[in-house]
C-alpha cells in the first residue's frame, strides 16, 4: 500500500508519522488527482501512478484539463509520441541517463540504482537479530516489500513489518 502525506511536502508537510497514512492504490491516485486539480503548487500528476485507470472518467478529465492549463514545453514534449506510443521526452531522458557508462561498459545509472539492493543488512525485532545478504533477500524472506525496507534504511520510516533495518557495517 502506498504511503501518502496528509499535508503534502509541496505545502510544507513533513515525513513525521502523524503526517503519513496508508492508502489503497485507487485512493492514493484519487487524492493526488484532487490535489493536482485544486492546488496550483501541487506537483505534476503522474499518469503512470498505480490506480490511474481506476479513477472515474470525470476526475481523469479534470486532471487532463488542468494539465493543459499548466502546459509548458516539457509537457508538450511528453505529448509528442514515437510510433510505438512512448513519449519522445521520456525516451530521450532515459537514453541520456543510461548513456553514462562504467569502465566495464555497464550503465552507471543501472548499477547505482541496484547498489542498495546488494548491500548486506540487519533486521531487528525485539531480541531477534537477522542478517541478510541484500534488501531483496530480506524482503522475500520476511514477506516485506523491498521499497519499505529501503524507506527504513533511508530513515523515511521507523520500521517495516515490525522490523527495524540497518546496513551491516
Amino acid at each position: 500500500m502506498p504511503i501518502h502525506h496528509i499535508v503534502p511536502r509541496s505545502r510544507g508537510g513533513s515525513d513525521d508519522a502523524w503526517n503519513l497514512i496508508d492508502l489503497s492504490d485507487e485512493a492514493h491516485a484519487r487524492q493526488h488527482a484532487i490535489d493536482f486539480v485544486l492546488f496550483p503548487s501541487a506537483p505534476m500528476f503522474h499518469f503512470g501512478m498505480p490506480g490511474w485507470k481506476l479513477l472515474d472518467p470525470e476526475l481523469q478529465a479534470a486532471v487532463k484539463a488542468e494539465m493543459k492549463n499548466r502546459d509548458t514545453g516539457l509537457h508538450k514534449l511528453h505529448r509528442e509520441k514515437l510510433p510505438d506510443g512512448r513519449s519522445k521526452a521520456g525516451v530521450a531522458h532515459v537514453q541520456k541517463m543510461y548513456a553514462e557508462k562504467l569502465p566495464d561498459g555497464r550503465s552507471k545509472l543501472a548499477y547505482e540504482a541496484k547498489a542498495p539492493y546488494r548491500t548486506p543488512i540487519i533486521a531487528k525485532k525485539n531480541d531477534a537479530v537477522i542478517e541478510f545478504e541484500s534488501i531483496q533477500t530480506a524482503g522475500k524472506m520476511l514477506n516485506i516489500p523491498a521499497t519499505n525496507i529501503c524507506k527504513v534504511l533511508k530513515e523515511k520510516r521507523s520500521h517495516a513489518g515490525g522490523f527495524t533495518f540497518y546496513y551491516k557495517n
Side-chain angles (χ1 to χ4, degrees):
M1 251 190 223
I3 294 176
H4 180 75
H5 289 80
I6 297 166
V7 177
R9 285 183 287 192
S10 64
R11 292 197 302 276
S14 71
D15 289 333
D16 295 330
W18 65 265
N19 193 41
L20 302 174
I21 187 169
D22 287 332
L23 296 175
S24 67
D25 286 342
E26 180 180 2
H28 194 229
R30 174 178 291 283
Q31 190 58 49
H32 275 278
I34 291 168
D35 284 352
F36 178 74
V37 171
L38 295 179
F39 300 103
S41 65
M44 199 64 191
F45 187 83
H46 299 285
F47 293 102
M49 283 183 73
W52 165 254
K53 292 181 180 179
L54 301 173
L55 296 178
D56 55 76
E58 295 82 18
L59 190 51
Q60 286 185 357
V63 169
K64 288 178 181 178
E66 182 61 20
M67 290 284 283
K68 288 181 182 175
N69 289 341
R70 296 187 194 186
D71 210 356
T72 66
L74 178 62
H75 302 131
K76 289 176 184 174
L77 278 176
H78 277 288
R79 282 202 311 275
E80 292 181 33
K81 300 293 181 188
L82 295 170
D84 63 4
R86 296 176 298 160
S87 84
K88 283 184 179 180
V91 170
H93 176 70
V94 169
Q95 287 173 340
K96 178 183 174 189
M97 292 177 75
Y98 277 92
E100 194 174 341
K101 301 287 182 187
L102 295 170
D104 63 4
R106 291 179 294 163
S107 161
K108 183 176 180 183
L109 178 68
Y111 179 79
E112 289 175 353
K114 293 177 183 174
Y117 289 94
R118 293 188 301 268
T119 305
I121 63 168
I122 295 171
K124 292 183 180 181
K125 185 175 189 178
N126 300 329
D127 292 334
V129 177
I130 309 167
E131 187 176 321
F132 295 98
E133 65 182 22
S134 68
I135 293 170
Q136 290 196 330
T137 303
K140 287 177 186 175
M141 297 294 288
L142 300 173
N143 197 26
I144 300 171
T147 54
N148 288 352
I149 296 171
C150 284
K151 288 177 184 175
V152 174
L153 292 166
K154 292 178 182 178
E155 299 179 359
K156 292 185 177 184
R157 290 182 67 150
S158 60
H159 64 280
F163 289 88
T164 53
F165 294 90
Y166 305 93
Y167 287 110
K168 182 181 176 188
N169 291 342

